[in-house]
Amino acid sequence: MKLLGDNNDWFYEIDLLYGREFKLGERFYISGYTGAGIYSRHYNSYNGTKYDLENESFFAVPIKLNLSPMVTSRFAIGFEMQATISNQKTLFTGGLLLQYYHKTKYNRKIM
């Protein structure tokens, strides 16, 4: 028995983004990014008699939004949401964001 089966579906995305970060409060930041990218998808397709591995790549426009509450003066744990928009498929993803700042965000320490 296989836990995940014989699924060979996977994708990758390469993006070039531009964004800005805005301060919402003493410890909260929000960041927005957009740009251009290449989205490549590999998946199994059934042609009536057997499964074949199909590949497709297309141009995409990624849009990201990060919400980053600061845990310390240099480290934030937050959420990242992304929409990848294209003429083939729109993909929505979200996840945990761990962010470290080389320089402190404050003149004084939070913790």
Side-chain angles (χ1 to χ4, degrees):
M1 180 179 121
K2 293 186 179 184
L3 183 63
L4 298 177
D6 292 327
N7 194 348
N8 290 323
D9 296 357
W10 60 278
F11 73 94
Y12 67 87
E13 182 177 354
I14 299 172
D15 299 327
L16 181 62
L17 301 171
Y18 175 79
R20 304 285 296 200
E21 183 176 69
F22 302 98
K23 187 174 184 176
L24 294 179
E26 184 178 342
R27 296 173 64 165
F28 291 94
Y29 287 83
I30 191 166
S31 306
Y33 304 91
T34 190
I38 300 293
Y39 179 88
S40 182
R41 185 171 85 124
H42 306 274
Y43 60 95
N44 283 325
S45 72
Y46 186 68
N47 66 8
T49 58
K50 65 177 183 164
Y51 284 96
D52 290 324
L53 187 62
E54 299 285 335
N55 301 310
E56 63 182 7
S57 296
F58 42 87
F59 175 78
V61 176
I63 302 170
K64 285 187 176 189
L65 185 65
N66 298 342
L67 180 61
S68 306
M70 300 298 293
V71 177
T72 68
S73 61
R74 292 186 179 183
F75 184 70
I77 297 177
F79 302 99
E80 178 178 85
M81 296 162 280
Q82 178 174 339
T84 302
I85 302 167
S86 71
N87 63 349
Q88 299 287 324
K89 180 177 277 294
T90 299
L91 178 68
F92 297 97
T93 58
L96 180 66
L97 175 69
L98 304 173
Q99 193 166 11
Y100 176 78
Y101 294 92
H102 179 66
K103 293 185 179 182
T104 182
K105 294 288 252 178
Y106 307 101
N107 293 333
R108 66 188 193 291
K109 289 186 178 181
I110 293 175
M111 294 181 158

